[in-house]
């Protein structure tokens, strides 16, 4: 038996188990790093990935170390005795092999796979096999089964609402900027509808909704504080990091991000299972369509739309799908502080507010307002305009900021470079993938004030030396790296001037 030790290393996707190379339970020649191991002695078998070390400062031969937050999941004090053994391959892997061969999985098979993923019985490689097999071929019934299986792994966060309507919105993503969520939330709360929003911090992107919100107020709230904010406002915009609503969902998303893929079954199942667990009754799904978006063609968009509709209907969720233009960035800022500036300019009805961000936010908010049976079709947009124009949306947003805990304003990064047009012509478009690389190189979202400020718009005529966008960075090395990427390719195409 080995003594349990907490290792202060945070690994969000799967537990790490630290074992000394002279571990008494398993001879050194039978143990290697990265193999799966199983711990016994807790309420249930616990799976993890082995990290073999020669340092007794990490673990001694009679100890076994577990990373955070897995140590908390074990719910055992340090010094507790556990036994260790190599983990057997989960039996549900046979179902994945069948799926790879082209078979359709039953509901019970999907349940068992998700159960094993939730318990960390799967390696990232095995999860990748499941994701890729699902993306290659799937039936609507399989996606529904996957969603229902995921739903079983979510920790419920039930919300009370006398009106029986709880709304939310979700964008499939891939579009530069597009920070509509805070604006939409403000409009919907000003209308008196209930809209709780939980969001993840950006991992492989330059920003996320919660990264932007964190420039205004606290977002890492306890369950008690979240309920307090919702009771006072009928909504919130907070981080889901403290809740780990579904270990299985987190693993699936983490592996997808690592592979750089976005599979339709996972998009649908993750989105709808999470909202069903929160008690959301009505969802607006924005599907941007464009060459650099997750959904690249209208054919793909229509297929995804039907998949969303089938699963949502089976779960009893009222759904509205918006197919939107994903060929151009929405808004000017790319990075938390710059996007927050755009959000506030729209809410304040400033003259320099990005018109595209304003219009898309009004469009989405209008569609959500029409979930209310008392709002006629086509009236939602007008009501959204009114709530924004009269300042009621800004008032609702300001109250949320103070109730969640206002923070000091984040400054724009001090290092700045202007990227200029290399020739006369017309702005033809934006390479979103390359601009995202430049934005990430600036240090965003870690450095909240870093990122890009887009000035030029598609279709505009520019002269040599006209400003296309600005690069902002906090760190000199990040600044130099971002400048280097922009020097080779600005990410903005300039077409020959019109005759």
């Amino acid at each position: 038996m080995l003594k349990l030790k907490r290792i202060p290393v945070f690994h969000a996707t799967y537990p790490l188990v630290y074992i000394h190379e002279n571990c008494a339970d398993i001879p050194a020649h039978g143990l290697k790093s990265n193999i799966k191991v199983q711990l016994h002695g807790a309420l249930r078998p616990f799976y993890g990935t082995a990290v073999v070390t020669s340092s007794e400062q990490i673990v001694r031969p009679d100890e076994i170390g577990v990373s955070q937050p897995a140590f908390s999941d074990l719910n055992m004090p340090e010094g507790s005795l556990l036994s260790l053994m190599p983990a057997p391959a989960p039996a549900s892997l046979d179902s994945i092999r069948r799926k790879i061969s082209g078979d359709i999985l039953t509901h019970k098979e999907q349940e068992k796979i998700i159960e094993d993923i939730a318990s960390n019985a799967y390696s990232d490689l095995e999860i990748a096999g499941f994701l890729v097999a699902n993306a290659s071929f799937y039936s609507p019934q399989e996606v529904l089964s996957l969603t229902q299986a995921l739903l079983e792994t979510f920790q419920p966060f039930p919300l009370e609402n006398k009106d029986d309507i709880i709304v939310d919105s979700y964008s499939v993503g891939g579009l530069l900027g597009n920070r509509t969520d805070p604006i939409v939330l403000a409009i919907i709360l000003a209308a008196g509808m209930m809209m709780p929003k939980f969001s993840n911090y950006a991992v492989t992107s330059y920003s996320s909704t919660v990264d932007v919100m964190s420039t205004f107020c606290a977002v890492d709230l306890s369950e008690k504080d979240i309920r307090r904010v919702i009771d006072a406002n009928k909504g919130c915009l907070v981080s889901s990091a403290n809740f780990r609503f579904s270990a299985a969902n987190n693993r699936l998303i983490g592996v997808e991000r690592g592979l750089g893929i976005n599979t339709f079954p996972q998009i649908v199942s993750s989105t709808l299972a999470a909202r069903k667990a929160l008690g959301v009754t009505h969802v607006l799904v924005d599907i941007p369509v464009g060459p650099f978006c997750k959904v690249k063609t209208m054919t793909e968009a229509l297929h995804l739309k039907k998949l969303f509709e089938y699963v949502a209907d089976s779960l009893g969720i009222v759904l509205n799908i918006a197919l939107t233009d994903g060929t151009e960035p929405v808004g000017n800022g790319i990075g938390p502080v710059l996007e927050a500036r755009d959000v506030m300019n729209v809410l304040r009805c400033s003259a320099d507010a990005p018109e595209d961000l304003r219009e898309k936010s009004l469009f989405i908010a209008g569609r959500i307002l029409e979930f209310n049976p008392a709002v006629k079709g086509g009236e939602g947009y007008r009501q959204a305009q009114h709530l924004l124009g009269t300042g009621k949306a800004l008032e609702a947003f300001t109250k949320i900021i103070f109730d969640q805990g206002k923070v000091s304003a984040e400054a724009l990064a001090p290092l700045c470079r202007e990227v200029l047009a290399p020739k006369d012509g017309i702005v033809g478009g934006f390479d979103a993938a390359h601009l995202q690389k430049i934005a990430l190189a600036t240090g965003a979202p870690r450095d909240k004030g870093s990122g890009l400020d887009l000035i030029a718009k598609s279709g505009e005529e520019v002269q040599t030396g006209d400003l296309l966008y600005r690069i902002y960075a906090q760190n000199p090395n990040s600044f130099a790296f971002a400048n280097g990427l922009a020097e080779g390719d600005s990410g903005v195409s300039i077409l020959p001037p019109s005759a």
Side-chain angles (χ1 to χ4, degrees):
M1 302 288 281
L2 302 171
K3 298 176 183 176
L4 176 63
K5 180 180 180 180
R6 181 182 69 85
I7 305 296
V9 172
F10 184 88
H11 197 291
T13 55
Y14 55 84
L16 300 178
V17 176
Y18 291 81
I19 308 162
H20 195 274
E21 63 181 0
N22 296 323
C23 172
D25 269 27
I26 300 180
H29 66 269
L31 192 65
K32 296 179 181 178
S33 286
N34 294 323
I35 71 164
K36 289 183 296 181
V37 293
Q38 194 177 61
L39 308 183
H40 292 272
L43 291 176
R44 57 181 176 80
F46 188 85
Y47 293 86
T49 300
V51 179
V52 180
T53 177
S54 60
S55 172
E56 293 196 9
Q57 291 183 333
I58 300 175
V59 286
R60 297 194 306 267
D62 65 340
E63 292 178 326
I64 187 162
V66 177
S67 63
Q68 291 284 32
F71 178 83
S72 300
D73 291 344
L74 270 173
N75 196 28
M76 299 176 70
E78 285 193 291
S80 299
L81 296 179
L82 297 169
S83 61
L84 170 73
M85 62 177 290
S92 60
L93 271 178
D94 288 338
S95 297
I96 292 181
R97 294 186 185 100
R98 285 184 51 244
K99 182 64 181 172
I100 291 172
S101 298
D103 290 348
I104 292 177
L105 300 184
T106 67
H107 180 73
K108 287 192 176 296
E109 285 179 303
Q110 296 268 28
E111 278 187 328
K112 184 56 180 171
I113 289 169
I114 295 301
E115 179 186 321
D116 286 340
I117 291 174
S119 66
N120 293 301
Y122 274 42
S123 68
D124 281 359
L125 184 61
E126 290 161 343
I127 292 175
F130 175 59
L131 288 169
V132 172
N134 261 350
S136 300
F137 169 75
Y138 53 87
S139 68
Q141 292 76 18
E142 282 182 297
V143 180
L144 174 60
S145 292
L146 176 61
T147 308
Q148 291 169 329
L150 270 181
L151 183 57
E152 291 297 316
T153 71
F154 271 84
Q155 299 174 19
F157 195 95
L159 298 166
E160 295 182 4
N161 184 30
K162 295 177 182 178
D163 299 331
D164 296 325
I165 293 180
I166 302 176
V167 302
D168 199 4
S169 60
Y170 170 76
S171 177
V172 172
L175 184 59
L176 280 175
N178 200 35
R179 201 56 62 205
T180 57
D181 276 350
I183 303 167
V184 171
L185 174 72
I187 294 170
I188 297 306
L189 296 186
M193 297 181 78
M194 191 170 193
M195 189 176 194
K197 288 203 72 66
F198 289 77
S199 175
N200 294 316
Y201 285 106
V203 177
T204 59
S205 180
Y206 52 82
S207 184
S208 73
T209 295
V210 80
D211 286 305
V212 172
M213 194 66 177
S214 71
T215 69
F216 297 120
C217 60
V219 294
D220 294 306
L221 273 59
S222 67
E223 179 177 337
K224 179 181 178 181
D225 282 335
I226 290 172
R227 293 190 183 279
R228 172 183 57 78
V229 172
I230 293 174
D231 287 344
N233 300 275
K234 301 192 82 171
C236 63
L237 205 170
V238 297
S239 165
S240 57
N242 290 340
F243 292 92
R244 303 182 72 221
F245 286 120
S246 167
N249 195 49
N250 290 346
R251 289 288 314 270
L252 289 166
I253 291 173
V255 173
E256 270 200 330
R257 285 172 173 166
L259 290 173
I261 63 174
N262 298 283
T263 63
F264 284 5
Q266 177 60 18
I267 288 172
V268 172
S269 60
S270 176
T271 301
L272 295 180
R275 281 151 182 83
K276 185 69 175 179
L278 279 172
V280 171
T281 59
H282 295 65
V283 181
L284 183 286
V285 176
D286 170 30
I287 305 180
V289 184
F292 300 106
C293 296
K294 293 180 182 178
V295 180
K296 304 188 184 309
T297 67
M298 189 56 67
T299 299
E300 288 182 348
L302 292 173
H303 176 74
L304 182 58
K305 175 179 182 289
K306 290 181 181 296
L307 196 57
F308 261 116
E309 289 171 341
Y310 172 77
V311 177
D313 184 63
S314 299
L315 294 178
I317 295 174
V318 178
L319 193 71
N320 194 317
I321 301 286
L323 305 181
T324 57
D325 181 12
T327 59
E328 300 289 332
V330 175
N332 300 330
I334 308 296
V337 168
L338 289 159
E339 293 174 30
R341 175 207 63 190
D342 287 353
V343 166
M344 289 309 298
N345 281 342
V346 171
L347 288 171
R348 289 170 176 157
C349 300
S350 302
D352 55 352
E355 184 64 17
D356 52 359
L357 179 62
R358 178 182 182 276
E359 283 302 310
K360 184 163 185 181
S361 299
L362 288 172
F363 169 74
I364 292 174
R367 295 276 286 264
I368 294 173
L369 289 172
E370 289 174 10
F371 282 137
N372 184 344
V375 179
K376 296 179 181 178
E379 285 294 306
Y381 180 87
R382 185 190 61 78
Q383 288 194 16
Q385 265 187 320
H386 174 76
L387 293 167
L388 183 63
T390 58
K392 291 182 179 179
L394 176 61
E395 183 181 338
F397 191 68
T398 302
K399 188 173 186 303
I400 281 280
I401 288 173
F402 278 93
D403 285 353
Q404 288 189 197
K406 190 177 187 300
V407 298
S408 300
E410 295 274 353
L412 198 58
L415 301 175
C416 178
R417 179 203 170 180
E418 295 186 339
V419 178
L420 309 177
K423 58 184 179 181
D424 297 352
I426 298 173
V427 176
F430 298 84
D431 183 337
H434 188 64
L435 287 170
Q436 171 156 304
K437 287 180 184 177
I438 298 173
L440 283 167
T442 67
R446 180 190 65 253
D447 299 328
K448 295 179 184 178
S450 299
L452 308 180
D453 193 11
L454 305 180
I455 306 300
K457 297 291 184 181
S458 287
E460 289 183 350
E461 290 191 16
V462 292
Q463 306 292 320
T464 303
D466 283 355
L467 180 59
L468 298 178
Y469 60 87
R470 295 185 181 93
I471 297 174
Y472 289 94
Q474 185 74 36
N475 180 279
N477 289 334
S478 298
F479 186 56
F481 187 25
N483 285 335
L485 288 174
E487 193 71 38
D489 177 5
S490 70
V492 182
S493 65
I494 306 297
L495 303 177
S498 55

